[in-house]
Amino acid sequence: MFDVSDLRFLTALSASPSLAAAARNLGVTPPAVSQRLALLEDRLHLRLIERGRGQLRLTAEGAYLIDRAKGVLDDIESLSEDMSARAGRIDGPLHVIAPFGFGRLRVAPVMTRFGDEHAELRPMLSLREDPVGAMNDGLWDVLVHVGRLPNLRITQRKLAPNRRLLVASADYARRFGLPQRPKEIAAHRVGVVRENRADASLWLLTGPGGIEMNLRVKPVFGCNDGEVLRAWALDGFGIVERSEWSVSSDLRVGRLVRVLPDWSLPDADIVALLNPRGVRSLRIDKFVERLASEISAPPMA
Amino acid sequence: MFDVSDLRFLTALSASPSLAAAARNLGVTPPAVSQRLALLEDRLHLRLIERGRGQLRLTAEGAYLIDRAKGVLDDIESLSEDMSARAGRIDGPLHVIAPFGFGRLRVAPVMTRFGDEHAELRPMLSLREDPVGAMNDGLWDVLVHVGRLPNLRITQRKLAPNRRLLVASADYARRFGLPQRPKEIAAHRVGVVRENRADASLWLLTGPGGIEMNLRVKPVFGCNDGEVLRAWALDGFGIVERSEWSVSSDLRVGRLVRVLPDWSLPDADIVALLNPRGVRSLRIDKFVERLASEISAPPMA
DNA sequence: TCAAACATTAAGGCACAGCTTAATGCCGGC
DNA sequence: GCCGGCATTAAGCTGTGCCTTAATGTTTGA
């Protein structure tokens, strides 16, 4: 007769390329995995997994058992969620995906505070360069993104408005001057963020009177963490495009200055997406409410 | 997140009239049950059971959880059975119901031998005066009965033929003589077995040439264990109706003699019934095969 | 009123499941 | 051939879950 932890163990195995990788994912040593699997196979008198190099190969029995196990685990999770909802409890896992910079500076603190208030909550934050890719990689409940994601059939709830601005440090401006027209940017050092699969070097600018132009820049520095780019801008590396949330206080105190202030870039609202295939649970709803409430508020620094 | 043992625990509770009764059924002390339930309720922040005298009262949440739990446990059992079948294993619980005498003398030994050969098998034999009633009382996989049960839509597999005979001890015959015709039985001491809800004091006799008569006897001794009745017959208490399996060796060596040997009673074949709502599993099939094989064979004594 | 049955609380015990460490062997790539 | 990664085995450890015992209080029925 199976125990839930046995079923969980097996599904974790089936998601890993090797027993050693499964051990790392489970946070235990390889003998723990090896021995547990062997014990299970011995109890069942069945071979579940063929060991060898390359991807773990499930036997027919192993594949059948794991398929069935997933169904049972889904039922148990669903039941657990039901009972949690009936009690109005906020507990269990909360898987959040967010970009590097925004995730670290704005989402993580919210999760910390939310988690502090709910002892049984298990927050899991995944900072990714490519949040959309991460959606396909595994568990997620909430995805936070800077800018609406195109071509997705998932409702994107707006958490806060957010403009994208061109900025440079005051020091850079003193030493190199600033461009007065978009075309002059070509003579400047430009840095970009590689935050997702979007084309970071194509800037869509809207100028006075509504005229639009696409400007192809040639980045000479870049990073997949937007906050690194901000730091480089502060260090005088050059001109960068950043979200307003990221640079608003720098602009206020003059560390950074606007570049081409008469021209604007497309807004990049902060949005939250809920996994349509995930559970509907109170903790997720409450977390998103909290996120919206705190992110709409002006940043503290 | 629920553990299987939690779900089992709850379903055991729901089948009991009190926490104390559940403890007895589970083979633990009342504090074990009381504390475990309290811990579970504390974890869930939900009241599952209202304590008080009389039948345990489930809350709405408790009832919902237990209902869902049963579904999950069924799935897990079904999966366990599947995997057992794939491995050709003979293991797990085997619930058998049988009458007192036949169960003790003929079924139990088979279960012992079968269980000895299969270490992971958990045989559970329930000896009952009223096997049919026991069918409604809880778990059962196989029911063994002496005589076909009427008005049941369950297939009754014949394990062995079996006649019912009227017998008395040789000593009784010497002291009181034996009846030569059915009507003379009224002048004798008669004992009956109360083995089920059937009318034990109405004997349907078939005589020479096929004539039939119903004979209403007035029992002066009786017991719900047929083997006690045999012992009393051997002790000279009077005339009894017994199955051939029970008295064949006594007749052979002369301890008992036939009464009205030209008259017969309806046969009472030994039959096995499989619970149509139970699991289809190898251990049950194999056990019934073994039972049929051993019960068809002549008894050893 | 008393006894029996039930439920609960507090405190302590302990078995065993789930690891860990140490060692060894295998395989593949450089 | 060497190194790194993987899998396995043997032996030992330990935390904790699941009890137990002892005591107390409540309720019900005779």
Side-chain angles (χ1 to χ4, degrees), chain A:
Chain A
M1 191 59 84
F2 296 104
D3 193 72
V4 172
S5 66
D6 288 330
L7 303 181
R8 258 191 230 300
F9 173 72
L10 285 171
T11 58
L13 284 201
S14 74
S16 299
S18 66
L19 296 189
R24 287 190 294 270
N25 287 338
L26 292 166
V28 296
T29 60
V33 168
S34 175
Q35 286 170 11
R36 185 167 184 176
L37 176 60
L39 281 175
L40 204 45
E41 286 175 326
D42 197 50
R43 258 174 47 206
L44 295 177
H45 293 189
L46 288 170
R47 190 79 166 170
L48 301 176
I49 288 179
E50 297 298 352
R51 283 79 150 173
R53 298 306 294 268
Q55 191 80 4
L56 280 187
R57 293 202 315 108
L58 299 178
T59 62
E61 280 79 28
Y64 176 73
L65 174 55
I66 284 162
D67 188 56
R68 288 283 300 276
K70 282 173 180 168
V72 169
L73 289 173
D74 283 347
D75 284 349
I76 291 176
E77 185 182 0
S78 166
L79 178 57
S80 179
E81 294 290 341
D82 276 0
M83 302 314 298
S84 188
R86 282 170 179 248
R89 277 184 286 114
I90 292 176
D91 60 0
L94 177 65
H95 296 274
V96 180
I97 300 172
F100 282 129
F102 192 79
R104 194 171 66 245
L105 295 177
R106 302 305 306 278
V107 176
V110 177
M111 287 182 88
T112 300
R113 286 190 287 275
F114 195 63
D116 281 347
E117 294 165 17
H118 305 285
E120 309 302 323
L121 191 73
R122 281 179 275 121
M124 304 283 166
L125 176 61
S126 183
L127 302 179
R128 307 293 288 259
E129 162 184 344
D130 178 23
V132 176
M135 282 161 69
N136 301 315
D137 275 356
L139 283 187
W140 69 280
D141 298 313
V142 183
L143 184 144
V144 180
H145 201 251
V146 180
R148 289 181 185 272
L149 293 164
N151 307 321
L152 274 190
R153 287 203 177 81
I154 309 177
T155 302
Q156 305 188 34
R157 174 179 172 176
K158 179 177 173 181
L159 297 179
N162 177 58
R163 294 184 296 169
R164 305 200 81 104
L165 312 174
L166 299 181
V167 296
S169 74
D171 185 55
Y172 179 88
R174 273 199 305 279
R175 293 167 58 199
F176 299 104
L178 294 178
Q180 301 303 316
R181 292 176 301 170
K183 285 204 170 89
E184 295 172 21
I185 284 178
H188 286 262
R189 297 168 55 81
V190 172
V192 295
V193 184
R194 290 194 307 281
E195 255 181 339
N196 52 43
R197 299 197 187 94
D199 189 349
S201 59
L202 185 65
W203 293 348
L204 172 60
L205 297 169
T206 305
I211 66 173
E212 292 187 342
M213 71 173 302
N214 283 333
L215 182 65
R216 174 70 65 180
V217 298
K218 292 194 190 254
V220 297
F221 60 99
C223 180
N224 62 354
D225 181 337
E227 284 305 299
V228 171
L229 210 77
R230 170 179 162 263
W232 286 345
L234 287 170
D235 286 344
F237 279 22
I239 297 170
V240 300
E241 174 212 302
R242 290 303 301 135
S243 290
E244 185 173 12
W245 71 261
S246 176
V247 293
S248 57
S249 62
D250 298 319
L251 290 171
R252 195 158 54 239
V253 300
R255 290 192 291 260
L256 294 177
V257 294
R258 289 282 300 275
V259 176
L260 298 180
D262 294 330
W263 293 75
S264 61
L265 288 142
D267 283 353
D269 294 343
I270 315 292
V271 295
L273 290 70
L274 300 189
N275 188 344
R277 285 197 291 275
V279 293
R280 308 275 17 94
S281 82
L282 188 62
R283 66 179 178 272
I284 295 173
D285 295 337
K286 290 294 180 185
F287 172 68
V288 173
E289 282 177 24
R290 170 62 74 80
L291 202 50
S293 156
E294 297 213 7
I295 283 174
S296 308
M300 278 196 285

Side-chain angles (χ1 to χ4, degrees), chain B residues 174-217:
Chain B
R174 272 198 306 281
R175 292 167 61 200
F176 300 103
L178 293 178
Q180 301 303 316
R181 292 176 300 172
K183 284 206 171 87
E184 294 171 25
I185 285 179
H188 285 263
R189 296 168 56 80
V190 172
V192 295
V193 183
R194 292 194 306 281
E195 254 182 339
N196 54 41
R197 299 196 189 97
D199 188 350
S201 59
L202 185 64
W203 292 349
L204 171 61
L205 296 168
T206 305
I211 66 173
E212 292 187 344
M213 70 173 305
N214 283 334
L215 180 65
R216 176 69 65 178
V217 296

